[in-house]
Amino acid sequence: MYWKIPYIHFARQFKKQQKEYIREFKKVMIKGDFVLRDDVTKFEKKISNFLKVKYVVSVNSCTDALLFSLGSLGVKKNSEIISVAHTYVATLAAITHIGGKPVLADISKDYNINVENIEKLITKKTKAIIPVHLYGRSCNMDRIMQIAKKYKLIVIEDAAQAFGAKFNNKMVGTFGSAGCFSLHPLKSLGGAGDGGFVATNNKKLYEKIFRLRNHGQGKRKDGRLQKSRYQIEYFGFNSRLDNLQAAIVNTKFKLFKSNISRRRKIASIYSNALKNLPLILPSSYSDPKYFEVCNSYVIRTSQQKELFEFLRKKKIEVLINWSEPLYKHKGLRLKQKLLPNSEKFCKEIISLPIFPEMSNKEIDFVIKNIKTFYNSAH
C-alpha cells in the first residue's frame, strides 16, 4: 500500500547519508570484511563510550542479548523472572528459552512496569527482574534497583526501544547487570537488518557473551580476535553482528543526537497540538527525571478502531503495538491473572508516525486528520 505518511521513511534515511553508506558498502565488499572485523570493534567502542560502560558486545538481535545475559548470569531452569505482558514477545521468549518462568506485573500510565507491583510477585524462586523501557522512556530504575538489592535479584534491562534514554541523567541499560539493546531498522538507532548488543560493567559476563556469540570460541586482546579463537570454551551460538551492519550503524550514529532532538521536537509538536482533544497523550516530557528518545509516540483513545481505520484511509500509517497482552496468546501457554492496565491500554493505544526526516507539513497533516476525526460525527 502507498502511504502518504509512512510510520518510518527508510528511503529518506538512506538519502540523508547516501554517499557515506555507499562508500562504507564498497569498502566492506572490496576488502571482504564480512564477519567480526574492524567495523564491529569500532561500533562496540563507540557505544561503550556513549553509554559510559566498560564493555559492549554485539550480537545478532536483542533477543539473543537477553537470552545470553540470562543464561550467563546463572538464571536456571524453573527460576521465576519478573517482567511485563505489554512488550514484544522476544522479552518473554528469552525467559522461556532458558527454562525460566515469566511472572508478569502490570504496567503504569507510562506503559512501563508498575514498580508497586513488583514486591508482591517475589517468591523464593524469583531470580531476576527484566524491566522493559518501552517506547523510548525509562522505567523507574531507582525503585527497581532498590527492590533488587533488598531481595538480591539480578536486573537485566530490556532497552530495545530506548537506546539513549536516561533516568536521573544515567543511561538506560547501565543500571543492572546487563543492558540489552536492539539495532532493528525500526529503532532510533537501527541498521539495514537485525542486530543487537549487550552493555555491561561485568567483565566475566562480557567475556562469556563474547564467546557465546561465536560458537564458544575466541579470545580478545586490544579489541582483536587472536589465533586462539579456535580454542572452543563451550558450546555457543552463531549470533554475530554482521560487519556490514556495524558499518551502517556507525554511519548512522554520527547523526544520532540530532535525530533524537528531532524526534523529541516532533513529540512536543504532537503533544501541544493534541492536548485539548479527548485523547490520553504520552507521559509528560517535562519531568526532569526522564529523558525520552521517543522511539514511538503512543496515544490512547476509547475510539481506537475507528481512529485507526480513519487515519489509515487517509494514507497515514499508524500502528497498534500491541493489540493484546502476551498472556492472551494461547500458544504461549502463559498462566496469568488479568492485568487491568495491560488489558485496557491494548484496546486504546495507537502509535503515530514519528521519524527524524518527517517534515512539519507531514506532522501537521497527521494532526489535522486527527482533529477532523474528532470534529466530525465519529
Side-chain angles (χ1 to χ4, degrees), residues 84-102:
V84 291
H86 188 64
T87 180
Y88 186 54
V89 65
T91 310
L92 305 191
I95 296 171
T96 57
H97 284 324
I98 62 156
K101 177 186 176 185

Side-chain angles (χ1 to χ4, degrees), residues 201-345:
N201 288 308
N202 184 324
K203 186 177 181 180
K204 288 184 178 180
L205 175 64
Y206 163 72
E207 290 178 346
K208 181 74 182 285
I209 296 175
F210 179 82
R211 292 182 176 90
L212 275 176
R213 73 171 179 185
N214 191 30
H215 291 294
Q217 62 187 11
K219 291 188 178 181
R220 181 179 278 260
K221 184 179 180 181
D222 298 328
R224 294 179 179 274
L225 283 167
Q226 302 300 296
K227 292 180 181 178
S228 57
R229 70 182 183 272
Y230 298 111
Q231 180 65 42
I232 300 170
E233 303 289 328
Y234 34 71
F235 286 112
F237 300 84
N238 179 1
S239 185
R240 303 176 292 250
L241 176 67
D242 289 338
N243 194 68
L244 181 59
Q245 293 296 342
I248 290 168
V249 178
N250 285 338
T251 301
K252 291 183 73 173
F253 187 63
K254 296 175 185 178
L255 299 181
F256 180 71
K257 289 185 178 179
S258 62
N259 284 343
I260 294 305
S261 294
R262 179 58 181 165
R263 283 178 175 272
R264 287 170 58 83
K265 178 63 177 176
I266 295 169
S268 177
I269 294 171
Y270 274 148
S271 292
N272 287 330
L274 302 175
K275 62 185 178 183
N276 294 322
L277 296 178
L279 296 168
I280 298 174
L281 303 179
S283 299
S284 172
Y285 293 115
S286 61
D287 189 333
K289 283 186 178 180
Y290 296 89
F291 179 85
E292 294 94 341
V293 293
C294 307
N295 192 80
S296 302
Y297 187 90
V298 182
I299 61 174
R300 283 170 48 206
T301 170
S302 59
Q303 295 175 278
Q304 181 197 56
K305 290 182 180 179
E306 294 87 349
L307 179 58
F308 177 80
E309 291 172 3
F310 178 84
L311 293 175
R312 286 175 79 93
K313 283 179 181 177
K314 297 293 182 179
K315 306 297 183 184
I316 300 170
E317 188 182 16
V318 290
L319 304 176
I320 296 175
N321 294 321
W322 296 271
S323 59
E324 57 186 0
L326 286 172
Y327 58 82
K328 288 281 191 176
H329 295 262
K330 293 181 180 179
L332 300 182
R333 300 178 183 177
L334 297 169
K335 295 181 180 179
Q336 178 65 41
K337 293 180 181 178
L338 183 146
L339 300 173
N341 283 350
S342 299
E343 295 266 344
K344 178 178 170 60
F345 294 176

